[in-house]
Amino acid sequence: MAFRLIPALGALGLLALAVLPAAANDPLAGDAPARTDATAIVVGSADFPESQLLATIYAKALAAKGMNVDTRLNIGSREVYMPALLDGSIDLLPEYAGATLSYLDKTATAHAPDDVAKALKAALPKGVSMLTPSPAQDSDILAVTRATADKYKLKTIADLKPHAHELVLGGPPEWKTRKEGVVGLKDVYGLEFKSFKTLDVAGPLTLSALLNGQVQAADMTSTDPAIAANDLVALEDVKNLFPAQNIVPVIAAAKVDDTVTKALDAVSAALTTEDLIVMNGRLADHESFDVVAEDWLAKHKLN
């Protein structure tokens, strides 16, 4: 998804961050107390609600199996929380397979789920492991209104080709130069839009621009409850322009054992994209991470 696709530093750059002097390399300095229990599994998250929810689900699923767990939510972007994983400040993260692969290997070309998972496993730094990816995905999508879809008979991104020159495309600033954006839409699908309007990262400005006709197609994310709420149409990515973004636990290898693996694999197996849409909707209605996580775990008998 758009806010996951952080510009890649590459594995070497990431590892370089991990060996900076401690004073310059404490990504959590000032945000949380120093780690005091080396036996605990510290679950971290990025700085957006879905990531915090998934981290809460992981933590509660592990605690239900008797594991000693701590959480450090809302850490920041991938450039901050990945070094934190490498230096031992945290042990476990919910990640997005394609975005993480892109971060670790800027030359990666895998886009299909199995290919992304295989490439990600190979790209992970020493001492970091991944468990079984979930079928649930939070990926970038190209969305249009129902009226636009009906007018141009749109079901897939490819269907835009005869009409793109009439339409304004909206997306975050980085979409101007990303392969998973304007560049790829032209190179992979042959789409040349009338113009590009810079908006936020699949947020309220994007939704407003799409609904009021400032743009006719826009970058959104597949688990956004606003899609169903506003009867938007997510165009099928038939050429896999957007890399698969399956949810996957990324964990310090030293913390992996049978109990951890079984607990997190059970979460991944049960989680669906539809679950994320529903839970994100509840978060948008100001329900707490704890309540939403506990309800989901109870429904799947994982707590």
Side-chain angles (χ1 to χ4, degrees):
M1 65 184 287
F3 44 84
R4 318 287 186 244
L5 299 177
I6 309 296
L9 293 180
L12 292 177
L14 189 155
L15 290 172
L17 284 174
V19 297
L20 288 174
N25 186 48
D26 183 1
L28 307 181
D31 294 330
R35 181 174 186 150
T36 57
D37 187 350
T39 67
I41 295 178
V42 180
V43 186
S45 83
D47 55 354
F48 54 91
E50 184 179 277
S51 178
Q52 295 173 66
L53 172 65
L54 288 166
T56 303
I57 289 173
Y58 286 1
K60 289 180 179 293
L62 291 172
K65 298 300 182 182
M67 306 296 293
N68 184 10
V69 181
D70 193 7
T71 58
R72 291 190 178 180
L73 306 184
N74 198 32
I75 293 171
S77 69
R78 194 165 281 111
E79 284 86 354
V80 179
Y81 63 70
M82 271 297 190
L85 179 62
L86 287 171
D87 72 17
S89 299
I90 57 176
D91 302 309
L92 170 64
L93 290 157
E95 264 291 22
Y96 299 82
T100 311
L101 175 61
S102 177
Y103 173 84
L104 294 171
D105 180 5
K106 65 182 180 181
T107 67
T109 58
H111 279 219
D114 289 347
D115 294 338
V116 169
K118 182 178 179 180
L120 176 57
K121 186 175 182 179
L124 287 171
K126 183 179 180 180
V128 177
S129 297
M130 58 179 273
L131 301 182
T132 305
S134 172
Q137 292 196 50
D138 185 352
S139 60
D140 285 87
I141 59 167
L142 199 61
V144 299
T145 62
R146 179 69 61 184
T148 297
D150 289 346
K151 178 179 180 179
Y152 296 109
K153 297 180 173 57
L154 305 177
K155 293 183 178 180
T156 73
I157 296 175
D159 294 337
L160 281 165
K161 190 169 183 180
H163 314 291
H165 68 281
E166 306 172 45
L167 309 177
V168 178
L169 174 67
E174 59 268 26
W175 253 46
K176 292 180 182 179
T177 56
R178 277 192 181 156
K179 180 179 179 182
E180 294 86 3
V182 174
V183 174
L185 288 169
K186 180 178 179 179
D187 292 347
V188 176
Y189 282 101
L191 304 183
E192 296 196 48
F193 287 88
K194 180 179 179 180
S195 62
F196 177 82
K197 184 174 181 62
T198 299
L199 300 168
D200 57 4
V201 184
L205 290 179
T206 297
L207 179 62
S208 176
L210 197 55
L211 294 177
N212 67 27
Q214 288 181 296
V215 301
Q216 288 74 50
D219 172 44
M220 296 190 69
T221 57
S222 61
T223 63
D224 189 340
I227 295 171
N230 293 279
D231 195 27
L232 301 178
V233 176
L235 300 179
E236 185 181 357
D237 182 12
V238 292
K239 296 186 178 182
N240 292 314
L241 169 62
F242 303 121
Q245 300 294 350
N246 300 81
I247 311 300
V248 58
V250 174
I251 184 169
K255 295 293 184 176
V256 178
D257 61 23
D258 286 345
T259 301
V260 170
T261 299
K262 288 178 181 178
L264 296 178
D265 280 355
V267 168
S268 292
L271 187 67
T272 67
T273 302
E274 290 72 23
D275 287 342
L276 290 174
I277 294 171
V278 171
M279 291 191 287
N280 283 336
R282 292 180 64 181
L283 295 179
D285 287 337
H286 309 294
E287 293 192 56
S288 74
F289 298 121
D290 284 334
V291 169
V292 175
E294 287 168 2
D295 286 351
W296 184 87
L297 288 163
K299 177 181 178 180
H300 296 281
K301 300 180 179 179
L302 296 174
N303 63 348

